[in-house]
Amino acid sequence: MIRHMDNHSESWKILPWKQFRCNLFRLQRRVFKAVQAGDKRKATSLQKLILKSTAARLLAIRQVTQLNAGKKTAGIDGKKSLTFKERFELEELLRAYSNDWKHQKLRGIPIPKKDGSTRMLKIPTIADRAWQCLAKYAMEPAHEALFHARSYGFRPGRSAHDAQKALFLNLNSNVNGIDKRVIELDIEKCFDRINHTTIMDNLIAPKGIKSGIFRCLKAGINPEFPEQGTPQGGVISPLLANIALNGIESIHRYKTHGYWYETSIRYADDMVIILRPEDNATEILERISQFLADRGMKVSEKKTFVTATTEGFDFLGWHFKVQSNGKFRCTPSVENYKKFRQKVKSIVNCSNYGAKVKAEKLAPIVRGWRNYHRYCKMDGARFSLWQLNHRTFHVFNRESKLDRHQSRKLIEKAFPSVPYSENRFVNVKGNKSPYDGDIAYWSKRNSKQYDDLTSRALKRQNHTCGHCGLKCISEERVNLHHIDGNHNNWKPKNLVAIHESCHKHIHMGKREQQP
């Protein structure tokens, strides 16, 4: 077999990743359909097949060692990465013990919060992260079939932009947003207080996964609260939090013209509840408090507010406000803009490298910020970044002794433009999920989530990866690949949109071919 060949590097690269993804997706789709049909017994049988699947195990290992953002963070064992040989050894370990996984302790990393306090990020070992990813492959499609349509955080096929558009649909002038109020709900230490019993009672999983999840929860407990908390930093933690909080979106709803309307919008543990003039905020908060108390949590009285839409409120890095003329406005929040501005200034003012390197470092930060806010009102000097652009231009001129034309070229590179279209985002349809098998819908939708060049490349390629040929429907990011290797050649013929893993595979092969 491939994993016993001497050249482990070559063995890993020639694995049939495309076939693995197809095999896993087929099983996940069947799990989703079984839960939708109410057949949980069939779903758990299929989940056992995912645990036993070689494709799922290898994909999980690749995800945590190559693709995840925190792939180089060490757990309690001190390992930051795995060699190709160690990856195959981990696959053997998962094959033998995935049904009875013993979770190791977690490494705590203190993270400062904006109020001056700290929260503990608890990091599992790479092996534990791989098992959690494997368990997530089995559990996520089952729970996606049951999750509320107004839950947008840490779910496949959904994003913060869905929550942003949902607020527009509930607060624009056509629905009298000027007369409404919102509850800005904050759950006190949500991840640290989720009751373990609530999670275990609501899990749709076979016994092997449940026992592994229970050990995972106990590995990261606070001694003061032994029956509470999920370890922040684990692959599975966001899914467990969504399982525990699912249903809170339905607490406030009203019936009109024979239809029930729900106006709560949740993104993980951040939530906004929209109130009509006749709604009783105190009564709604009491019901929410009872819901949370049953799960070991409580509302933070210091950070929970009832606000008139005309006063404005912050949510997910945006500031939402209904103006006196009834128009809905969304802009980057003051805090979000300050953090972004500080990042830019720290690079521009750094004396360790020149203008060209600064431009290269600035470009992804500016492009990412503009992409996140592309559905906001972004005109005006502040959000068009004119002042930052102007100051950077003078710094480049002064430090690098470039002429104005050269400085202008670098500024264009450092501050790439991203088109914005206020409130033009298209929400995901109802309870649709990438696991429902509607490949045409999801591939086209995912293509629109990227900037102009990537989106156009995907359209040319009929929304398929230019390397492996699979539709771009998974959560895996899509990268632009320069065919000739020249990253300054942005002609359409030189650009191809491919999966991030395919991109890494191509460049890994090129590096090994170099003498």
Side-chain angles (χ1 to χ4, degrees):
M1 292 179 71
I2 290 174
R3 61 178 167 274
H4 293 307
M5 291 172 62
D6 291 333
N7 190 344
H8 294 93
S9 169
E10 192 59 35
S11 302
W12 183 264
K13 284 184 286 183
I14 64 172
L15 287 171
W17 296 110
K18 177 180 177 179
Q19 190 59 49
F20 287 168
R21 282 197 290 235
C22 290
N23 291 347
L24 175 61
F25 181 74
R26 185 169 60 249
L27 285 171
Q28 288 178 317
R29 183 183 173 187
R30 291 175 66 193
V31 171
F32 179 86
K33 296 286 186 185
V35 175
Q36 261 194 337
D39 192 347
K40 291 185 180 179
R41 179 176 290 182
K42 181 180 179 181
T44 53
S45 296
L46 291 165
Q47 287 173 319
K48 289 177 184 177
L49 291 180
I50 292 176
L51 269 191
K52 294 176 183 177
S53 166
T54 301
R57 287 194 297 271
L58 288 166
L59 285 169
I61 293 167
R62 185 179 69 161
Q63 184 69 39
V64 301
T65 58
Q66 291 181 255
L67 301 178
N68 281 356
K71 58 183 178 289
K72 294 291 184 182
T73 308
I76 200 168
D77 60 356
K79 281 192 176 181
K80 290 187 176 182
S81 60
L82 298 182
T83 64
F84 291 105
K85 181 181 179 182
E86 286 172 331
R87 292 178 197 179
F88 286 118
E89 288 171 352
L90 177 54
E91 192 273 329
E92 292 284 6
L93 193 67
L94 289 172
R95 176 192 295 271
Y97 299 107
S98 62
N99 216 34
D100 186 28
W101 189 258
K102 302 292 193 296
H103 209 283
Q104 296 183 63
K105 294 292 182 183
L106 308 176
R107 175 185 167 220
I109 301 176
I111 305 293
K113 297 171 72 173
K114 60 185 178 184
D115 62 1
S117 62
T118 60
R119 66 180 176 90
M120 290 300 292
L121 195 64
K122 296 177 180 178
I123 309 297
T125 63
I126 294 176
D128 286 334
R129 293 203 291 268
W131 182 85
Q132 286 185 27
C133 188
L134 180 61
K136 185 183 176 185
Y137 285 160
M139 288 164 50
E140 189 170 62
H143 289 280
E144 275 295 312
L146 301 177
F147 280 157
H148 196 281
R150 292 292 189 114
S151 167
Y152 299 115
F154 303 108
R155 291 184 59 193
R158 283 165 166 75
S159 69
H161 290 131
D162 286 288
Q164 182 189 37
K165 185 58 181 281
L167 279 166
F168 167 75
L169 294 173
N170 282 277
L171 296 177
N172 67 68
S173 56
N174 293 331
V175 290
N176 297 319
I178 196 170
D179 298 326
K180 295 179 179 179
R181 297 164 295 152
V182 297
I183 298 176
E184 301 173 66
L185 184 69
D186 185 88
I187 302 171
E188 189 174 318
K189 296 183 178 180
C190 175
F191 284 85
D192 295 332
R193 294 292 179 267
I194 298 174
N195 188 282
H196 292 172
T197 305
T198 298
I199 293 173
M200 299 309 299
D201 287 348
N202 287 285
L203 279 188
I204 301 172
K207 186 179 178 181
I209 292 180
K210 281 190 172 183
S211 62
I213 293 296
F214 186 75
R215 290 166 184 156
C216 169
L217 293 172
K218 295 304 177 186
I221 59 171
N222 182 337
E224 294 179 35
F225 305 96
E227 301 299 323
Q228 293 178 288
T230 59
Q232 292 186 61
V235 176
I236 204 80
S237 297
L239 176 60
L240 297 180
N242 276 334
I243 291 170
L245 291 171
N246 189 47
I248 195 172
E249 305 87 353
S250 300
I251 287 176
H252 174 55
R253 59 179 188 161
Y254 60 89
K255 193 174 186 179
T256 180
H257 305 301
Y259 293 95
W260 283 102
Y261 289 89
E262 295 171 345
T263 58
S264 301
I265 296 159
R266 182 170 69 85
Y267 191 93
D269 60 332
D270 290 325
M271 190 169 175
V272 169
I273 302 150
I274 299 166
L275 308 178
R276 300 169 300 163
E278 62 267 32
D279 290 328
N280 187 325
T282 304
E283 182 187 324
I284 293 166
L285 279 170
E286 284 175 359
R287 296 208 304 270
I288 289 171
S289 295
Q290 185 57 54
F291 177 94
L292 293 174
D294 293 341
R295 288 154 178 78
M297 297 171 280
K298 65 178 181 178
V299 173
S300 171
E301 295 181 5
K302 291 181 180 178
K303 298 179 183 178
T304 297
F305 308 101
V306 179
T307 311
T309 56
T310 50
E311 292 177 17
F313 61 96
D314 291 351
F315 185 56
L316 301 178
W318 294 303
H319 182 72
F320 299 94
K321 186 176 183 178
V322 177
Q323 298 176 333
S324 56
N325 60 4
K327 285 189 176 180
F328 174 89
R329 282 285 177 260
C330 174
T331 56
S333 69
V334 171
E335 185 182 339
N336 179 278
Y337 179 74
K338 279 183 178 178
K339 284 183 179 178
F340 165 72
R341 189 166 171 265
Q342 190 57 45
K343 282 183 184 178
V344 172
K345 286 178 71 176
S346 65
I347 293 173
V348 173
N349 295 333
C350 183
S351 58
N352 294 338
Y353 32 76
K356 289 184 179 179
V357 177
K358 288 179 181 180
E360 289 173 0
K361 288 180 175 292
L362 284 172
I365 293 171
V366 174
R367 186 183 292 110
W369 187 80
R370 281 180 159 162
N371 266 321
Y372 187 74
H373 299 297
R374 65 190 300 184
Y375 301 107
C376 294
K377 182 177 173 59
M378 295 293 285
D379 53 3
R382 171 181 256 195
F383 298 134
S384 66
L385 307 183
W386 184 88
Q387 290 170 328
L388 282 175
N389 189 309
H390 188 65
R391 185 180 181 283
T392 305
F393 175 78
H394 285 292
V395 172
F396 283 5
N397 262 342
R398 184 178 69 250
E399 292 185 352
S400 303
K401 298 179 182 178
L402 303 173
D403 61 40
R404 295 182 68 84
H405 177 70
Q406 290 173 318
S407 293
R408 184 54 58 196
K409 284 285 186 185
L410 281 180
I411 288 295
E412 288 175 4
K413 184 177 181 180
F415 290 85
S417 61
V418 172
Y420 72 92
S421 48
E422 190 178 0
N423 301 322
R424 299 297 293 272
F425 182 82
V426 178
N427 264 109
V428 63
K429 287 183 182 177
N431 280 305
K432 283 194 71 63
S433 168
Y435 299 117
D436 62 14
D438 191 348
I439 293 175
Y441 172 82
W442 286 105
S443 57
K444 288 180 181 177
R445 178 174 175 78
N446 286 0
S447 299
K448 294 174 184 177
Q449 310 305 312
Y450 295 95
D451 62 31
D452 236 16
L453 289 170
T454 310
S455 185
R456 276 185 273 171
L458 282 167
K459 194 172 182 180
R460 287 196 304 272
Q461 297 162 206
N462 194 26
H463 316 289
T464 59
C465 172
H467 181 71
C468 69
L470 290 177
K471 290 283 186 182
C472 296
I473 63 169
S474 70
E475 284 295 277
E476 188 176 341
R477 290 185 295 272
V478 172
N479 294 168
L480 265 186
H481 174 62
H482 296 73
I483 297 170
D484 64 0
N486 179 8
H487 285 216
N488 293 318
N489 181 1
W490 292 89
K491 292 180 180 178
K493 288 183 179 179
N494 190 47
L495 302 174
V496 59
I498 58 179
H499 290 115
E500 183 184 10
S501 57
C502 294
H503 202 195
K504 290 188 176 184
H505 181 82
I506 290 170
H507 284 286
M508 193 185 295
K510 285 183 178 178
R511 281 198 299 271
E512 294 197 354
Q513 289 171 13
Q514 291 175 355

